[in-house]
């Protein structure tokens, strides 16, 4: 019987950190098993899985199922930048609301540590939509999200006026204050 | 000695170095990448236009942390060149909040990227303060 209400029965989170000895699936499995235990059910009851990950190369949902329970349920791998985890929740929520399943699992997992800019090729050869002969990051502006958003915030202030850097600092202060309340923060 | 090559295909080297943009013939929106259609009006016809080499800093950030292999600190910026937004580094200026300010008048400048195994030099661009 499909109801309009969708309930969160269990939830879990891994500790923030670089986790050199854990791969993506270790982190996803830890969060999965702990949230399912929190809900008081097993993977057997789960009828749909949505797995959010941006930089792991895809197929995280299937790889997770192989570790924690390969029950033949539909899996949706989603990638949506900062909104990736929220998109996974939305996919499960909509599936439950549509009556496709009674229990669903939404997981979001990412490892960011250890990346580096790829090196230049031995001979210059234009590649891609900008006809670039090497990586742009650091040469034609920045591609990192903190840098991009810093510029968006500054452009907003420049265009509309009245948006003070004091305001941005207060948002940062508020967010860091919240992190001190999270025992899983690094 | 081979001719130097531009770091990106929208940088034109030579006597009068400048950037070129792809301009939508329907709405005038400008882009620097190869286009399938216009993001603003969905038009599919473009013409190539020269971008003014002088502009002012509309936004910037001083990048102190980046992926290994990216030299830091550097100044990333959005430069308004008479209505065309250009993403670039600010160069020939100290990467400090004291030296860089919003609205600063800047002009296009070239910078060496390096030489490949065939001996070809690559040239990129940034914007430097106008004095």
């Amino acid at each position: 019987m499909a109801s309009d209400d969708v309930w969160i029965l269990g939830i879990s989170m891994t500790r923030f950190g670089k986790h050199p000895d854990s791969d993506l699936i270790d982190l996803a499995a830890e969060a999965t098993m702990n949230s399912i235990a929190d809900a008081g059910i097993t993977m057997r009851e789960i009828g749909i899985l949505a797995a959010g990950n941006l930089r792991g190369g895809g197929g995280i949902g299937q790889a997770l199922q192989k570790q924690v329970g390969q029950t033949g349920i539909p899996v949706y791998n989603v990638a949506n930048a900062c909104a990736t985890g929220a998109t996974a929740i939305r996919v499960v929520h909509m599936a439950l609301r549509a009556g496709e399943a009674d229990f669903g699992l939404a997981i979001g997992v990412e490892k960011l540590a250890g990346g580096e800019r790829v090196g230049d090729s031995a001979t210059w050869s234009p590649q891609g939509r900008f006809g670039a002969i090497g990586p742009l990051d650091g040469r034609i502006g920045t591609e990192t999200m903190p840098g991009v958003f810093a510029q968006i915030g500054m452009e907003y202030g420049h265009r509309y006026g009245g948006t003070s850097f004091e305001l941005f600092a207060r948002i940062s202060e508020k967010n860091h204050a919240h992190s001190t309340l999270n025992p899983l923060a690094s | 000695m081979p001719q130097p090559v531009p770091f990106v295909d929208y940088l034109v080297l030579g006597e009068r170095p400048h950037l070129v943009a792809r301009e939508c013939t329907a709405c005038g929106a400008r882009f620097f990448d190869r286009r399938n259609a216009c993001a603003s009006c969905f038009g599919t016809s473009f013409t190539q236009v020269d971008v003014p080499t002088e502009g002012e800093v509309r936004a910037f950030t001083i990048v102190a942390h980046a992926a290994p292999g990216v030299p830091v600190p550097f100044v990333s910026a959005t430069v308004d060149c008479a209505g065309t937004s250009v993403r670039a580094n600010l160069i020939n200026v100290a990467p400090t909040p004291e030296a860089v300010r919003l609205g600063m008048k800047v002009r296009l400048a070239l910078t060496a990227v390096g030489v490949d195994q065939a001996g070809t030099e690559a040239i990129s661009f940034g914007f430097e303060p106008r004095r």
Side-chain angles (χ1 to χ4, degrees):
Chain A
M1 230 4 221
S3 151
D4 278 352
D5 292 328
V6 173
W7 301 89
I8 295 176
L9 299 181
I11 194 164
S12 182
M13 189 179 195
T14 58
R15 177 175 292 277
F16 280 90
K18 292 187 176 179
H19 298 290
D21 299 324
S22 301
D23 64 16
L24 265 182
I25 304 307
D26 288 322
L27 297 174
E30 181 185 331
T32 295
M33 291 190 284
N34 287 340
S35 59
I36 282 178
D38 188 39
I41 59 172
T42 73
M43 275 299 286
R44 184 66 60 198
E45 279 74 51
I46 299 292
I48 177 177
L49 169 63
N53 171 259
L54 193 64
R55 307 188 52 141
I60 297 299
Q62 285 84 350
L64 172 65
Q65 286 179 300
K66 284 181 182 173
Q67 293 300 321
V68 302
Q70 208 167 15
T71 54
I73 60 173
V75 55
Y76 298 89
N77 292 296
V78 298
N80 224 354
C82 303
T84 293
T87 304
I89 290 174
R90 184 185 191 280
V91 166
V92 169
H93 180 240
M94 294 300 285
L96 297 180
R97 290 286 300 273
E100 288 185 348
D102 293 323
F103 296 89
L105 172 68
I107 179 95
V109 63
E110 196 71 90
K111 288 196 80 161
L112 292 172
E116 66 179 67
R117 186 174 75 175
V118 295
D120 292 326
S121 53
T123 54
W124 306 126
S125 170
Q127 305 281 338
R129 286 185 174 263
F130 293 104
I133 59 176
L136 299 181
D137 188 28
R139 287 168 167 156
I140 312 257
T142 181
E143 293 178 347
T144 57
M145 284 300 109
V148 169
F149 284 122
Q151 289 173 93
I152 292 173
M154 186 178 271
E155 182 166 347
Y156 183 92
H158 186 54
R159 179 175 296 179
Y160 298 106
T163 302
S164 68
F165 295 124
E166 172 76 19
L167 176 63
F168 289 115
R170 280 165 57 197
I171 295 169
S172 179
E173 181 185 20
K174 177 261 295 176
N175 290 348
H176 284 293
H178 284 174
S179 77
T180 67
L181 305 175
N182 184 350
L184 297 170
S186 62
Chain B
M1 191 74 180
Q3 287 284 313
V5 294
F7 185 70
V8 286
D9 65 9
Y10 59 90
L11 169 64
V12 179
L13 300 174
E15 285 287 296
R16 195 180 58 84
H18 64 285
L19 304 179
V20 290
R22 295 167 174 90
E23 182 177 279
C24 175
T25 56
C27 77
R30 291 183 172 185
F31 305 91
F32 288 106
D33 58 344
R34 175 170 58 78
R35 299 301 305 179
N36 298 91
C38 175
S40 290
C41 78
F42 336 129
T44 53
S45 173
F46 294 88
T47 181
Q48 184 169 294
V49 293
D50 291 351
V51 175
T53 56
E54 297 193 336
E56 64 179 58
V57 175
R58 195 161 70 190
F60 72 91
T61 188
I62 298 164
V63 179
H65 297 279
V70 178
V72 289
F74 68 93
V75 186
S76 171
T78 304
V79 175
D80 183 345
C81 291
T84 302
S85 287
V86 184
R87 185 179 103 175
N89 285 7
L90 298 186
I91 59 175
N92 304 328
V93 64
T96 64
E98 292 74 30
V100 184
R101 20 179 204 87
L102 271 183
M104 190 165 75
K105 310 282 190 201
V106 293
R107 67 181 169 214
L108 190 80
L110 299 182
T111 177
V113 175
V115 176
D116 72 3
Q117 286 181 0
T120 305
E121 187 181 19
I123 306 286
S124 190
F125 72 93
F127 284 84
E128 65 180 9
R130 248 188 282 167
R131 295 190 178 87

